Amino acid sequence: MPDMFKEAVISEEDVMCGTTASECQEESRSITDEAAERIIKYLINHKKIPADLPDSLVTSSRDAKALNGFPKHLIPSETECTECGQHAGLGDPQLVSSTANILTMTGVVKGISTYRKTCPNCSMVYRYQNWEDGIHNFNDHLLLSIHLCLVLRNALQTHTAVSRIIEMIEYTEGETFPNKDRILQAYLSFEGLSDHDYQYACISCGYHPAVVVMDLHKKGVFSMPVSEIPNPPQHYNGEVNARSFWEAVTMEVIIRGLYPPGCRNPFVVKPTYHNWSPWIGPQTRRSDILINTESEKVHLPDSNSDAEQILTEERLADEVLNLKLPEIRKLCSQCGIDSRGSKMDLVLRLRDKMASRVTYNKVFDKVWGAS
């Protein structure tokens, strides 16, 4: 009964933004995919958040209980439509929500009213997105202070989860924040709209080293069966446009604020070999065209040859020795093997069991699953 899950997701949004289920459903139907794309492209081109924010702005957005804090009515600053040209005035502000919340490091500012404007000629929608007020608008219901966004950025860069920061604020201020995953999505949209400075350079070679070596980082890898990734086109030469790819990813992240939870996101970037670009800084790469040759790893070995199978089992056993003991015990449990004994005992049991294709696949996925 999939309708039960849809209702549960919408109810979660109700608690977060103070809107009813019918209002959320009406809002999702009121915007088309084409209109959403126009809005996001406008935000990316005209509402970028600068890399170096004024200290006074960050300070003023720190405290939720300041006397001269955030404005209560958030109205878009645009007066003319940018797509219809000059002298194309926008309509009167339309109320979106009167119960929006601004999250800060010192609590929640409640009872915020958000508005939008619409061009009567081309129906282009302009939402409030003025970072100069110290506010980042995610979805007209959930807003973050710029100071909180910077705190979450520094937390992630020091290996602290966003959910832990939110829990810390809740315990300290005695308030309940919205769904933590939704807050994470709001923060990611802030990063998507931010203009980042990328200043990494080799101390000897500058921005243009002769060779760039990229290594595996398992913490940044998502699990996905290779069988679900479509094969590249027949004449695919490994070239991917890095700028176009990462712009598409940015659009996917930002546009989540235009659709209620549970709604289909039409701008999802699906993993494919011919549309997945590595990240190399714009100063370091020669052009926007980069090489993605991951598809060359997919070719299966000759089924009549046992040499690779024997060699792989030997290498797997050696690689398992490099795992920590708790990981090996967990792997044995997953394979239905006795998980008691020393590290060497467990490895020998796994090696004996790897004659079974099922056990072999589990061990392979554990050792080289992110390759």
Side-chain angles (χ1 to χ4, degrees):
M1 293 180 284
D3 292 338
M4 294 179 60
F5 293 95
K6 294 179 182 178
E7 292 175 0
V9 171
I10 293 175
S11 300
E12 184 179 5
E13 177 75 358
D14 301 343
V15 176
M16 181 201 72
C17 64
T19 57
T20 63
S22 59
E23 289 174 345
C24 281
Q25 292 173 345
E26 181 179 355
E27 183 176 345
S28 64
R29 289 193 297 265
S30 64
I31 185 169
T32 63
D33 295 345
E34 180 183 359
E37 184 176 3
R38 292 171 66 192
I39 295 173
I40 295 304
K41 286 185 176 179
Y42 171 79
L43 295 180
I44 293 175
N45 294 329
H46 296 87
K47 294 294 184 177
K48 273 284 188 178
I49 303 171
D52 295 324
L53 292 166
D55 294 336
S56 58
L57 175 71
V58 178
T59 303
S60 62
S61 65
R62 185 192 308 268
D63 192 357
K65 303 175 178 64
L67 294 178
N68 298 321
F70 304 105
K72 291 294 183 180
H73 298 274
L74 305 181
I75 304 175
S77 58
E78 291 83 359
T79 58
E80 297 179 348
C81 180
T82 57
E83 296 194 2
C84 295
Q86 296 181 347
H87 310 297
L90 301 177
D92 295 332
Q94 301 168 326
L95 180 66
V96 178
S97 174
S98 60
T99 57
N101 298 326
I102 302 177
L103 308 187
T104 73
M105 276 295 293
T106 56
V108 182
V109 182
K110 301 180 180 179
I112 300 296
S113 297
T114 56
Y115 298 80
R116 65 177 55 167
K117 294 180 181 180
T118 306
C119 176
N121 297 326
C122 66
S123 301
M124 173 66 179
V125 177
Y126 295 85
R127 58 183 283 180
Y128 172 84
Q129 204 75 50
N130 297 349
W131 60 265
E132 296 88 351
D133 294 329
I135 302 172
H136 171 65
N137 180 14
F138 174 54
N139 62 358
D140 288 324
H141 303 286
L142 175 63
L143 304 98
L144 307 181
S145 71
I146 296 295
H147 176 262
L148 177 60
C149 292
L150 297 179
V151 170
L152 297 180
R153 173 189 291 176
N154 293 328
L156 290 175
Q157 291 179 344
T158 53
H159 311 289
T160 304
V162 170
S163 59
R164 297 197 176 191
I165 298 297
I166 300 305
E167 289 179 2
M168 179 194 71
I169 301 174
E170 288 178 327
Y171 292 150
T172 303
E173 301 298 330
E175 296 195 50
T176 301
F177 272 44
N179 177 272
K180 295 178 179 60
D181 183 66
R182 201 63 173 157
I183 297 176
L184 174 61
Q185 300 301 331
Y187 161 72
L188 292 177
S189 71
F190 164 79
E191 293 292 0
L193 277 177
S194 295
D195 191 8
H196 298 90
D197 283 336
Y198 184 77
Q199 299 177 342
Y200 174 80
C202 175
I203 193 172
S204 301
C205 307
Y207 284 120
H208 306 288
V211 177
V212 178
V213 179
M214 305 182 73
D215 198 5
L216 173 67
H217 181 41
K218 283 194 174 184
K219 290 186 177 180
V221 174
F222 53 85
S223 178
M224 182 176 183
V226 176
S227 59
E228 294 185 6
I229 306 178
N231 293 326
Q234 184 177 1
H235 300 291
Y236 173 64
N237 59 1
E239 295 183 351
V240 183
N241 189 303
R243 181 183 296 275
S244 299
F245 171 77
W246 289 106
E247 285 179 351
V249 173
T250 300
M251 181 174 291
E252 175 191 344
V253 171
I254 300 175
I255 212 165
R256 293 170 185 167
L258 299 183
Y259 295 93
C263 291
R264 179 186 65 89
N265 185 346
F267 299 93
V268 170
V269 180
K270 296 182 179 180
T272 62
Y273 293 114
H274 57 284
N275 184 34
W276 197 273
S277 169
W279 168 256
I280 300 178
Q283 298 94 337
T284 303
R285 63 182 187 241
R286 177 176 297 176
S287 69
D288 293 338
I289 303 300
L290 300 180
I291 302 298
N292 183 347
T293 56
E294 287 294 309
S295 57
E296 297 181 6
K297 300 179 181 179
V298 183
H299 299 306
L300 299 176
D302 186 2
S303 58
N304 296 325
S305 174
D306 295 332
E308 185 168 345
Q309 171 75 6
I310 298 173
L311 177 63
T312 304
E313 288 182 8
E314 294 289 340
R315 290 185 61 190
L316 271 178
D318 294 338
E319 292 292 338
V320 170
L321 278 172
N322 296 328
L323 299 177
K324 296 180 180 179
L325 183 58
E327 295 177 331
I328 300 178
R329 293 190 190 279
K330 183 178 180 181
L331 182 59
C332 288
S333 299
Q334 293 174 348
C335 298
I337 301 174
D338 186 5
S339 60
R340 295 172 295 180
S342 65
K343 188 175 185 178
M344 185 57 68
D345 292 336
L346 300 180
V347 172
L348 291 176
R349 292 173 196 160
L350 281 171
R351 183 175 175 179
D352 293 339
K353 276 284 188 177
M354 271 194 280
S356 166
R357 190 65 187 178
V358 175
T359 304
Y360 171 84
N361 289 339
K362 289 182 178 179
V363 178
F364 184 92
D365 183 67
K366 178 65 178 177
V367 177
W368 285 319
S371 175

